[in-house]
Amino acid sequence: MKQAEQYVRDALSGLESRELHPGIALLESHQFRTTVDHVTYDLVAEMLRIYSTDTQSMVFRAISRNGIESLLLKKKPRIALDNRPNIEAEVNSGGYDQNILSDAYISAYCGRFLRGTESEADVILTPVREGAMGPTDSAGGYGPFTSTTQRYAEHNWDLEEEKLGGGAWEQFLRSGDIKPLYDFRDEITRHHEEFALPLATFLQAEIQTLFTDLHIEPFSPSTLEEGSSFLETETIEHKVSLGHEHFSVDQIIAYPYSTKNGIVYIRLFRVWDEAHATYEVVRTIQTEPKKIGDPSMKNFDSLRLDSGCHDGMHSLDCHCDCPEQLEQVIKESLLMRDDTLIVQLTDHEGKGWGTIWKGRTLDIMRRHNDEQDPTGQEGVRIGNPIAAAALYGALGVPPDRRDYHAAQAVLKIFNIKHVSRLLMGNQDKIQAIASLGIHFQLTEAVTIHSDDHLGDEARQGLEEKHNGVVSGLYGKVLYRE
């Protein structure tokens, strides 16, 4: 890792945000890498905060060949806008064809038309949750908690988006009428385009939305029990105590959702701290339509705490296997008819440090590895865990800043008593479950059965974690010279 010391210094000095244009701030840029059909494409990812008004903004990850400013010289560049709802990306359900996003990356890299279309993409914009941004203002965000006292935090577009979509999914699964889903998609597209417009004006570019068709697997409306509905649209507030700490937990919505493997049941929560000043977003995914308060909620076959990975889920960066792990849990649970609960911590990007700082660790990893001999004979290739440990070690802070109080607060509401299996290997997460008094029989780390599709970076990162190269107390990453 000594070869990477300069990269660490560069990473620490590379976080100066600057204004590209009135209403457009460049927060950070780093190397972006994705793999399509076993071919790897290297692009540039830039984090942009774009203001539609003085009080409202959104953050986009802009992915292009050479950066936004290089497009100022191009006549009529094309912006490809990722207009998927968060739920679609974060549960990887298959409602939208992700090959479309991959095609956009190929177009940006090769400068040619998208396969099967007459459109060309020069830059791809993907909206980023505020909670995924990072813990400090200097990093451009407020995460993993969003503070209501900070500017722009009142604009909770991600929560409103999912609440709007939940009702549409219930209507579709109840009646088979797909129109509510198209209406929902049109509203999301309109909203994303509104915030992308200042960038389009700056570049004198045209906006093209990427996802125009829904690809819903065949289903039977009778899958939903006759005479009952899982949909809950009214905000339900719960008070929870964990030791000496007290939390308010708002259930924003509960709704059924169709994945390519079958129907799951979603709940979206906002977990407030004791002062009611900050909150964290938590989503739960059930394979059975259990209602809170029902006696059946006391027992589950399987339980998993799943930390969000915005880079992998939304942008298909190839450094990790997070999307594959989550999809495998959902797929196997539905196939085996396991009564499974997944607690998805959507604001845990980059082990709680956020996507801005995570971009710095990816830059360290890629700049270091790209200088190594391709045969691996010279130097040592590293994964993101070691790169993160190096960066945060230089900062004098722990590489993992996550805590699991929000997950515990939600689980306390569920009042679970017994779980047959915990589907995770992180000892901190397992301890968080055990401290609630939930009894479990065994724990299993989720492993990918066939990782042929995983790239070298993901394999290297998995190897570092599984072999204990950078494992410390409770499985947290520690940097070793």
Side-chain angles (χ1 to χ4, degrees):
M1 266 302 291
K2 288 185 178 180
Q3 303 98 315
E5 289 177 357
Q6 181 60 49
Y7 304 145
V8 173
R9 288 193 291 270
D10 292 343
L12 293 174
S13 64
L15 282 173
E16 296 298 325
S17 63
R18 60 188 177 91
E19 190 176 64
L20 286 181
H21 187 71
I24 305 173
L26 173 62
L27 306 177
E28 183 265 355
S29 64
H30 63 271
Q31 292 186 52
F32 175 82
R33 188 164 289 171
T34 192
T35 300
V36 184
D37 298 332
H38 304 289
V39 178
T40 298
Y41 298 91
D42 286 295
L43 298 154
V44 175
E46 297 170 294
M47 305 299 291
L48 304 175
R49 184 175 288 282
I50 304 177
Y51 306 91
S52 70
T53 69
D54 288 339
T55 59
Q56 293 189 334
S57 71
M58 282 183 71
V59 174
F60 287 90
R61 178 180 285 107
I63 299 173
S64 61
R65 179 66 184 271
N66 296 306
I68 287 290
E69 289 176 291
S70 69
L71 298 179
L72 290 171
L73 302 175
K74 182 168 184 176
K75 183 179 179 181
K76 285 286 184 186
R78 180 62 65 101
I79 294 175
L81 181 62
D82 180 350
N83 58 326
R84 288 172 302 165
N86 282 319
I87 182 67
E88 173 58 35
E90 292 166 3
V91 177
N92 192 20
S93 69
Y96 291 86
D97 183 0
Q98 287 195 332
N99 289 328
I100 295 172
L101 184 58
S102 297
D103 287 347
Y105 291 145
I106 294 171
S107 176
Y109 181 84
C110 300
R112 65 172 177 80
F113 292 107
L114 302 179
R115 289 179 291 181
T117 76
E118 297 180 355
S119 300
E120 184 179 351
D122 294 297
V123 59
I124 299 93
L125 289 187
T126 300
V128 180
R129 282 183 180 274
E130 290 291 349
M133 285 301 297
T136 64
D137 286 331
S138 63
Y142 324 117
F145 286 93
T146 301
S147 171
T148 56
T149 62
Q150 290 168 304
R151 194 179 180 198
Y152 312 117
E154 72 276 7
H155 184 52
N156 304 316
W157 64 272
D158 52 339
L159 299 181
E160 294 302 319
E161 172 189 287
E162 190 157 343
K163 187 169 184 177
L164 180 66
W169 278 103
E170 165 80 13
Q171 291 181 60
F172 167 63
L173 292 171
R174 183 67 59 191
S175 67
D177 181 7
I178 202 168
K179 184 178 183 301
L181 290 183
Y182 276 109
D183 290 342
F184 167 55
R185 184 210 61 209
D186 289 343
E187 179 64 21
I188 297 304
T189 300
R190 182 202 63 76
H191 181 266
H192 290 186
E193 286 179 343
E194 173 189 344
F195 283 92
L197 185 58
L199 181 64
T201 302
F202 171 55
L203 297 176
Q204 297 185 336
E206 299 177 358
I207 297 177
Q208 166 206 344
T209 53
L210 284 176
F211 297 96
T212 57
D213 292 311
L214 289 164
H215 299 271
I216 306 297
E217 295 295 317
F219 77 100
S220 168
S222 62
T223 302
L224 297 181
E225 295 180 9
E226 290 294 331
S228 66
S229 173
F230 191 77
L231 183 69
E232 298 172 2
T233 58
E234 296 296 322
T235 299
I236 303 172
E237 183 178 350
H238 303 268
K239 299 293 185 181
V240 175
S241 295
L242 297 173
H244 298 295
E245 296 188 79
H246 305 280
F247 299 85
S248 294
V249 183
D250 296 337
Q251 178 184 290
I252 305 299
I253 188 168
Y255 63 98
Y257 186 67
S258 178
T259 78
K260 60 186 177 183
N261 298 303
I263 294 177
V264 296
Y265 301 87
I266 306 285
R267 294 181 187 274
L268 187 69
F269 296 92
R270 178 169 49 192
V271 182
W272 294 91
D273 67 353
E274 189 163 13
H276 216 266
T278 62
Y279 69 83
E280 187 172 349
V281 176
V282 177
R283 182 191 287 123
T284 61
I285 304 168
Q286 301 170 217
T287 56
E288 296 292 337
K290 293 181 175 181
K291 297 290 187 71
I292 292 176
D294 286 354
S296 62
M297 189 66 91
K298 294 183 183 296
N299 300 288
F300 280 88
D301 294 324
S302 303
L303 170 63
R304 174 177 170 82
L305 300 191
D306 190 86
S307 291
C309 176
H310 197 280
D311 292 336
M313 295 290 190
H314 286 252
S315 303
L316 308 183
D317 191 288
C318 60
H319 72 281
C320 69
D321 67 331
C322 298
E324 289 82 4
Q325 285 201 43
L326 179 60
E327 182 177 0
Q328 181 169 307
V329 171
I330 294 174
K331 179 179 180 179
E332 290 190 354
S333 295
L334 291 172
L335 180 65
M336 302 302 295
R337 298 185 180 277
D338 271 0
D339 184 5
T340 296
L341 171 66
I342 301 167
V343 181
Q344 193 178 36
L345 301 156
T346 65
D347 296 342
H348 273 196
E349 174 71 8
K351 291 184 169 61
W353 285 106
T355 191
I356 290 285
W357 284 104
K358 185 177 180 181
R360 301 285 82 202
T361 67
L362 294 176
D363 238 11
I364 292 170
M365 175 186 70
R366 286 167 178 161
R367 290 182 63 189
H368 175 271
N369 290 343
D370 288 349
E371 287 198 357
Q372 305 306 300
D373 180 73
T375 65
Q377 299 301 310
E378 297 181 10
V380 178
R381 299 182 68 82
I382 63 173
N384 186 245
I386 285 182
L391 177 66
Y392 297 124
L395 287 169
V397 297
D400 192 337
R401 72 183 300 273
R402 292 173 294 180
D403 68 49
Y404 301 100
H405 292 149
Q408 290 175 313
V410 169
L411 288 170
K412 196 90 180 261
I413 294 168
F414 279 41
N415 196 30
I416 301 171
K417 301 300 182 185
H418 181 267
V419 174
S420 297
R421 298 186 302 161
L422 297 185
L423 297 177
M424 52 199 175
N426 184 307
Q427 292 299 314
D428 275 0
K429 293 181 179 181
I430 294 170
Q431 180 58 35
I433 300 298
S435 65
L436 290 173
I438 298 175
H439 299 284
F440 50 89
Q441 291 176 272
L442 56 95
T443 63
E444 296 180 9
V446 177
T447 57
I448 306 301
H449 295 318
S450 175
D451 62 354
D452 291 339
H453 62 290
L454 294 180
D456 291 340
E457 293 176 346
R459 292 172 186 268
Q460 180 69 30
L462 287 172
E463 183 178 344
E464 288 171 1
K465 288 186 288 187
H466 292 167
N467 292 346
V469 175
V470 289
S471 64
L473 184 63
Y474 296 141
K476 290 186 177 180
V477 179
L478 300 174
Y479 175 45
R480 292 178 178 173
E481 292 284 356

